[in-house]
Amino acid sequence: MKSLFSAGRWSTGLLGLCALAACGGADEPQESDSNSSAKAERIRAMNQVTDHHSYARPDEARITHLDWSASVDFETRTITGTAAYAIETADDAERIVFDTHGLAIAGVTVDGQEADFTLGEERPFIGRPLTISLHPGAERVAIQYTSSPDANALLWVEAQGDRAPFLFTQSQAILARTWIPVQDSPGIRFSYDAKVRVPQGLMAMMSAENPTETSADGVYSFRMAQPIPAYLLALAVGEVEYRSVGERCAVYATPDLIDKAAYEFAEMEELLLAAEGLYGPYAWERYDLLILPAAFPFGGMENPRLTFATPTIIAGDRSLVSLVAHELAHSWSGNLVTNATWDDFWLNEGFTVYFEQRIMEAVYGRDVSEMLATLSYQGLVDEVDAISDLNPDDTHLKLHLQGRDPDDGMTAIAYDKGYFFLRLMENTVGRERFDAWLASYFEEYAFKGMDTERFVDYLKRTLLADEADLAAVRLDEWIYGPGLPDNCPRVASPRIERVDAVLTGWEDGSLATADLPWNDWVYQERYRFLSNIADDTSAERMAELDATWGIGRTGNNEVLFAWMEQSIRSGYTPTYPRLEAFLIEVGRRKFLTPLYRAMKEADQMDMALDIYGKARPGYHSVATGTMDALLDWNEADS
Ligand code: BES
Ligand code: ZN
């Protein structure tokens, strides 16, 4: 075994020397040039940023294409396969390093010959480096492996009654390495082909060109021609049907949901056209949506060509499509221009919330998008309050997550502070200039990584080249400072203001429950009302609301969620059976965290632990990670 470096040593060579503007190498096209000086330049450019959450050393050797062949075993809850990579190396490269977490490595070949490899020590969150020795000029590395039954990315949903089993992956942020050995850093991109065997009768889907029918033999082939980072690798397996809803759009869902999903998301193509109208052509050919089992821990995940989504956005009235607008927007912000490290997460999410709002405005009008912006502002102010006490540095846009789980950075700061920062820039330079700038940003950095420092440099050279604009924005305060600067744009939503006035009237008794304009309100207004009811509202008043407006029977899960949370705080027990059923069925963390927290704060820990004990086996690791900590849950005690 030659030249193995210790696990914690990161390449430092050019890092300190490479001034951002001078180091334009990453601007070079990454695709299909065989010219060796371009290659050297590209490899040097990979040295610009250090990703503390990956062992890969892309400046030495990096993957460019994946050929994955694998088989999915529901009995053992494992994926066994071979990940074969085309690689690109620096001239003196002696090794290539992959990320793994809980994988059993059966063997490695380099250019077809068996090769030496070592698995380094395991570190929390990031797993173990797999280091493979290379000979000069090595071009192809193949790794045979099996995943662990408790791989963190995977959720194996058991068959129940006539419901078939289901498997899905969630790779973001650093979980891809739990189901495939890969250079799991968002700055490293590769195209892929895959051949996957699954149990007969089930359909397999990936973040790639997908089948539209179940195959007879359980074997599926996939192709993703555009280079993507590992966190966008995705696989789902289940009894799923396909329904086209437009020229480039379709929904995939289990048989019980396919009709509802086709109705709910019939407007997808319109969103796609609006997005293209704003910021340029869609780069991924198709945009489809897969409705996952309710255990999916997120609202949505922007897997290229195939967004994964929770069924809790099926409301029956198309009222929750903004989530689709969000994931669609990631096709530009995130999937095309990608945060280089998880410290730069706001470059993915802040841009995406901004783009989402613009799509919503274009399709549904300004008063709808301004209601959403108002809710986003309220969420942000609450989050800044909550985080400022614990860890004020986490309220900066640019994060410092070294040594921590990147999941810690998944707060409203990246999303909503990021959004308001972009909105401030829009206000400062005017919409026309801002839109042209954003479109050219996506074009210029398509299929590339972007880190905060480089972005700031770009901003200063382009959109904010004018001193007065730069001064007005106060960039450093926003990006490297705490909380919300006082030049944060104000949102004006007369509809939300009316809701607040109605709530005040209802609370001081001047407005009777029967006189609430509940039936005139759309979900954002109902949500605003319910989520701002005083914590000490009595169970009697909750009963009155329920009896008058049938709130507990709503089909909108956002409204239901706000209702259940307030029911806990008010001790309104008739909601509890619904609450328990909801928590057992739904694994979406955004709902779970506030509901379990409300039980905890309302001295209902017994109920919380009782429900959690029943629900936990059905949750994804992303959700149990958060809930275990919130409820001080110890597996051993249960
Ligand atoms: N990419 C995120 C989900 C994510 C972030 C997963 C970080 C793992 C780590 C996705 O685009 C997202 O933001 N989803 C939101 C929906 C949205 C409308 C804000 C969610 O799931 O709630
Ligand atoms: Zn997002």
Side-chain angles (χ1 to χ4, degrees), residues 302 326-327 330 349 352 415:
E302 66 272 25
H326 178 95
E327 305 312 333
H330 271 306
E349 296 299 342
T352 298
Y415 288 79

Side-chain angles (χ1 to χ4, degrees), residues 135 165 287:
H135 57 77
Y287 181 73

Side-chain angles (χ1 to χ4, degrees), residues 175-210:
L175 303 179
R177 64 192 69 177
T178 70
W179 62 284
I180 185 168
V182 66
Q183 292 189 315
D184 194 5
S185 175
I188 304 177
R189 311 180 81 92
F190 52 96
S191 48
Y192 74 88
D193 289 284
K195 191 169 179 186
V196 184
R197 176 181 295 280
V198 305
Q200 262 175 25
L202 300 185
M203 180 126 96
M205 290 138 286
M206 293 192 76
S207 47
E209 269 174 51
N210 274 301

Side-chain angles (χ1 to χ4, degrees), residues 170 172-173 298-302 323 326-327 330 345 349 410 415 588 590:
Q170 169 55 43
Q172 196 183 10
F298 293 111
M301 176 65 212
E302 66 272 25
L323 183 129
H326 178 95
E327 305 312 333
H330 271 306
F345 184 54
E349 296 299 342
M410 215 204 145
Y415 288 79
R588 186 175 174 188
K590 182 185 120 173

